[in-house]
Amino acid sequence: MEPTSALKEWDAQCQALANGSSALLLRKGGIMETHEGFEVEHRAFLLYPTFLHQNPAELRLPFQPLLRPDPAPGLIHFATSAEVVQVWRIEDLDVALSLEPFQALNVQAIERRFHYRNRPWLHALLLRTSPLATPVSVPETPEMLGCVSWVPLFQPAGPTLAPVCSEAQLQELELQLQARLGPGLNRLPTT
């Protein structure tokens, strides 16, 4: 499936997903999202690393070494493709906080995202990530700017290499997440 969009996320989280130290992303959305907030509009996409609003105080200690200044301001470097394996909508803060060990954000960041815009929920996305065979760098255009989650791509991304996590690793992680989330939490469709 060839991605036609990119998902903006903090650079440190994109690196964690790209190197396999995380496969889970907790999302709420940006200030320019629709009234309903962030939705998982695409099942395959590129990771769009952003340095805007990246907050070192909201990253767990093991992910702090991934923080770096923007290596090429005005240029977006697409190096990783992602596919949604599973997505859950979480409406219980304690459940959301229980996911801290599985991803890069600390409890303060999870709580802030959970309560953002006074709408208590967030999405948990289990992702299969793969490096692009040939990374693509493009100039950041005015259409790409702003606090939005999804950005359309205007050129094909090309083929990917093998996923950074094996299918067995992803299945094991999904089982662990489902145990934390509980049987009553419905998964959202992934197709």
Side-chain angles (χ1 to χ4, degrees):
M1 178 177 349
E2 185 79 21
T4 59
S5 293
L7 177 66
K8 282 186 171 183
E9 187 51 77
W10 289 354
D11 176 67
Q13 291 210 91
C14 288
Q15 289 182 66
L17 292 164
N19 70 25
S21 59
S22 176
L24 185 69
L25 193 59
L26 301 178
R27 289 294 305 206
K28 185 63 168 265
I31 61 173
M32 296 174 67
E33 302 293 355
T34 65
H35 177 69
E36 293 301 313
F38 173 79
E39 292 298 330
V40 185
E41 297 174 19
H42 306 280
R43 297 304 186 247
F45 47 86
L46 296 185
L47 294 177
Y48 181 135
T50 182
F51 297 83
L52 184 65
H53 305 307
Q54 182 168 253
N55 186 347
E58 293 190 341
L59 285 174
R60 292 179 47 229
L61 196 55
F63 297 92
Q64 294 280 327
L66 298 177
L67 290 166
R68 62 182 178 161
D70 189 342
L75 194 64
I76 306 303
H77 185 68
F78 296 106
T80 308
S81 179
E83 295 175 60
V84 176
V85 174
Q86 194 53 257
V87 58
W88 298 269
R89 182 176 165 115
I90 301 172
E91 298 179 357
D92 180 304
L93 178 59
D94 290 333
V95 171
L97 294 175
S98 77
L99 300 179
E100 184 200 28
F102 296 96
Q103 48 76 61
L105 299 176
N106 63 27
V107 292
Q108 295 85 0
I110 295 169
E111 186 167 2
R112 184 183 63 78
R113 287 185 180 202
F114 184 86
H115 288 296
Y116 181 65
R117 288 191 172 176
N118 203 27
R119 288 185 237 159
W121 61 268
L122 53 72
H123 283 107
L125 288 79
L126 178 59
L127 300 176
R128 176 184 299 109
T129 56
S130 304
L132 294 179
T134 305
V136 178
S137 294
V138 298
E140 190 170 42
T141 65
E143 296 80 21
M144 300 167 119
L145 299 175
C147 293
V148 296
S149 296
W150 299 106
V151 175
L153 298 175
F154 298 102
Q155 65 185 62
T160 61
L161 302 175
V164 297
C165 293
S166 70
E167 287 306 306
Q169 290 171 309
L170 286 173
Q171 288 173 0
E172 175 60 27
L173 180 55
E174 185 174 359
L175 289 173
Q176 291 177 27
L177 292 170
Q178 194 61 52
R180 295 262 175 146
L181 297 170
L185 188 66
N186 290 332
R187 300 174 182 187
L188 298 176
T190 57
T191 57

